[in-house]
Amino acid sequence: MEIRNLKQIKENLNQLVKNIDKNIDSLYKIATHDEKTGLYNYKFFSEMLKIELEKAKRGNKLSIAIFDIDFFKQINTKYGHIKADELLIKVAKLLESSLRISDIIARFGGEEFIALLPNTNKQHAKLVAERLRKKVEKQLSKYSLTISSGVTEYKNKDTEKTIKTRADKALFKAKEKGRNKVEVL
């Protein structure tokens, strides 16, 4: 009788451990991912950027790219909120599936995304952004959906703010030049 009880207790404990592990995984996903797109959230991106900036200070290459869906408000108006959300998710998945496992892509806000590209110089980062721009344009041509991108590389003494500001300025430049473009600063 006692051995039977011990077996039951052991089984119960094993099940409890499995449930705890499952809950930890669930909580981690909630804490680090954007609810709508499934990409990493901006908070997680910022934490990873801090780590990669420290590596860049020691000589590792680092680039970031900001992507923005062009004229998203018009897409929202033309197709409605539900379809616009579906297209936002499609863009997110296209971006995510086209990057290396070591890259971090996150939702930056609204219809903007930000990518952390470790061990990547700005020339290669521009090629990556250009490839993503073309992929989105081609695969979502039915909706005339395009993206613009601003790219930059780590410069000596960059902070989170300075590198993101430079990428944002490059994005603004791409939009000024007519959208559906990649600009590098």
Side-chain angles (χ1 to χ4, degrees):
M1 183 99 162
E2 285 184 30
I3 292 175
R4 215 170 170 180
N5 286 340
L6 286 174
K7 282 184 179 179
Q8 185 61 47
I9 289 170
K10 187 177 179 181
E11 286 175 23
N12 289 346
L13 284 173
N14 285 336
Q15 188 57 49
L16 185 60
V17 168
K18 285 179 187 176
N19 289 341
I20 290 170
D21 285 344
K22 188 176 176 182
N23 287 336
I24 289 171
D25 290 345
S26 230
L27 289 172
Y28 176 78
K29 181 127 178 140
I30 289 167
T32 59
H33 287 74
D34 176 65
E35 184 178 11
K36 186 171 284 189
T37 63
L39 296 179
Y40 286 111
N41 61 28
Y42 184 68
K43 183 179 188 317
F44 180 81
F45 174 88
S46 291
E47 292 302 315
M48 297 307 295
L49 178 57
K50 287 176 191 172
I51 292 167
E52 292 302 328
L53 281 171
E54 287 303 313
K55 292 177 185 177
K57 288 175 187 174
R58 294 188 301 256
N60 287 13
K61 292 290 182 195
L62 174 65
S63 292
I64 66 169
I66 300 175
F67 302 92
D68 185 63
I69 300 175
D70 297 324
F71 302 112
F72 192 68
K73 287 181 183 170
Q74 291 176 6
I75 291 167
N76 223 337
T77 301
K78 185 174 182 178
Y79 297 106
H81 295 292
I82 302 300
K83 189 64 177 178
D85 279 353
E86 287 174 15
L87 292 171
L88 179 74
I89 293 165
K90 282 184 181 186
V91 170
K93 296 304 173 201
L94 282 172
L95 296 174
E96 181 181 45
S97 68
S98 301
L99 294 173
R100 303 170 300 185
I101 196 161
S102 59
D103 299 331
I104 302 290
I105 181 87
R107 187 167 179 202
F108 196 27
E111 67 276 2
E112 287 187 332
F113 306 94
I114 190 165
L116 184 60
L117 307 166
N119 302 311
T120 307
N121 63 32
K122 67 182 176 184
Q123 291 81 13
H124 187 251
K126 181 180 182 182
L127 293 174
V128 169
E130 190 61 41
R131 186 185 70 220
L132 295 173
R133 184 196 64 75
K134 288 176 182 175
K135 188 173 188 178
V136 168
E137 181 181 36
K138 182 179 179 185
Q139 292 196 20
L140 297 173
S141 62
K142 174 181 175 182
Y143 302 100
S144 300
L145 195 146
T146 60
I147 60 173
S148 296
S149 181
V151 173
T152 196
E153 179 180 10
Y154 173 81
K155 293 181 180 178
N156 195 24
K157 298 187 181 180
D158 257 338
T159 64
E160 290 176 67
K161 184 177 180 178
T162 58
I163 196 169
K164 287 187 291 188
T165 299
R166 202 167 46 255
D168 198 44
K169 284 180 182 176
L171 173 63
F172 188 73
K173 193 174 170 186
K175 290 189 168 284
E176 277 184 331
K177 289 187 172 185
R179 293 181 165 77
N180 194 25
K181 304 215 180 304
V182 175
E183 286 295 322
V184 180
L185 286 179

